[in-house]
Amino acid sequence: MTKEDIFETLRMRVCMLDYPPESRLNERELAAEFGVSRTPMRAVLQRLERDGLIESRHGQGTAVTSIDLKRMQDVYVVRMRLMDALSDSARLPIPDGLEARLAELVAVCAGLLESRDKREFAQINIQLNTILHGLVKNDVLREINEKLFFESARFWFLLLDELDFAEQVQALIDEISMIRRAIALRDVKLAAEIHKAHLALVLSSIRQQSAGSGDPS
């Protein structure tokens, strides 16, 4: 596996809560698991730390960062602003077959109403995020969005336990369906506005969660 493969694997484990907040990561054990030396593994862990997913603690090793409600609110506010930036950025041609790909995601979502598979739900959100930011030329925008998306993904995964899962699935079906119609019209700006509205709903849920926890922020 390349360093990029290992990074994406570990990032997904953090986001899916396979590595819960505060859990310890052992550099030696991970290097042995992936069949690499400690040098590339150290580089992967440093990258995860730069993305805010893990942190090195003096005398304690490396641990997955805790989830802070106030920071999550801030992250979602910035992600909404990134949708404005996406609307204003130079765009790449809409790839052939994108409408069909979005239709497939809607079909997979429909299956979640029965399976109630949270991991599949998260995977669909990852694919949707990749699709939207794959439409712009701005590499800096894509880089910032990817970092913030994965930082917030694990909180959203955790938040699902507090929400009506079927209602969230239906909301995702509605969002993807509307984005598909926007893509059919070749209106990337409209697609970004639709996703921004969805992010606003999530932010509202986070604020309710924060109020319920007694956090004054």
Side-chain angles (χ1 to χ4, degrees):
M1 297 181 73
T2 66
K3 285 192 292 186
E4 186 67 25
D5 294 331
I6 297 170
F7 169 77
E8 291 180 359
T9 298
L10 293 181
R11 181 174 65 180
M12 190 62 68
R13 289 179 184 178
V14 172
C15 292
M16 296 291 189
L17 302 181
D18 295 328
Y19 296 151
E22 302 298 326
S23 58
R24 297 283 192 268
L25 299 184
N26 185 287
E27 179 185 299
R28 186 188 302 275
E29 292 175 358
L30 289 171
E33 176 187 348
F34 290 102
V36 298
S37 69
R38 294 181 68 178
T39 299
M41 181 54 64
R42 188 173 299 117
V44 168
L45 293 177
Q46 288 172 345
R47 185 176 170 189
L48 288 169
E49 185 167 15
R50 286 195 301 271
D51 283 0
L53 297 177
I54 65 174
E55 60 184 355
S56 298
R57 298 173 179 173
H58 183 68
Q60 300 181 35
T62 301
V64 177
T65 54
S66 59
I67 296 175
D68 180 79
L69 284 175
K70 176 61 169 64
R71 179 170 176 81
M72 285 301 103
Q73 290 183 54
D74 293 342
V75 166
Y76 269 91
V77 168
V78 174
R79 287 186 61 197
M80 290 169 63
R81 298 297 177 263
L82 289 177
M83 287 297 101
D84 295 330
L86 188 152
S87 297
D88 296 335
S89 295
R91 292 154 201 159
L92 295 168
I94 295 176
D96 294 336
L98 184 54
E99 288 180 59
R101 186 178 175 192
L102 290 167
E104 289 173 1
L105 288 183
V106 170
V108 176
C109 277
L112 293 177
L113 293 171
E114 182 175 344
S115 70
R116 303 184 66 82
D117 189 332
K118 287 173 56 180
R119 297 180 77 91
E120 187 73 30
F121 183 91
Q123 290 285 359
I124 293 169
N125 272 288
I126 291 171
Q127 291 182 59
L128 181 60
N129 180 75
T130 301
I131 287 171
L132 287 173
H133 281 83
L135 296 174
V136 296
K137 293 181 179 180
N138 192 322
D139 291 336
V140 175
L141 174 59
R142 286 202 298 269
E143 181 180 339
I144 295 172
N145 170 74
E146 182 176 6
K147 176 185 181 300
L148 294 180
F149 173 82
F150 281 100
E151 184 178 353
S152 60
R154 62 191 178 129
F155 176 74
W156 176 234
F157 196 70
L158 187 64
L159 188 62
L160 279 177
D161 290 334
E162 308 295 328
L163 302 172
D164 184 312
F165 185 74
E167 183 178 297
Q168 298 308 310
V169 170
Q170 188 58 57
L172 185 57
I173 290 173
D174 293 342
E175 179 191 5
I176 298 174
S177 298
M178 293 175 68
I179 289 175
R180 182 190 175 201
R181 289 196 288 273
I183 292 300
L185 295 170
R186 295 297 191 262
D187 193 336
V188 174
K189 182 175 182 177
L190 177 58
E193 290 173 350
I194 292 167
H195 189 58
K196 180 181 178 180
H198 175 75
L199 293 175
L201 290 173
V202 177
L203 179 59
S204 179
S205 296
I206 295 174
R207 285 172 172 160
Q208 287 184 9
Q209 182 86 352
S210 179
S213 68
D215 186 339
S217 61

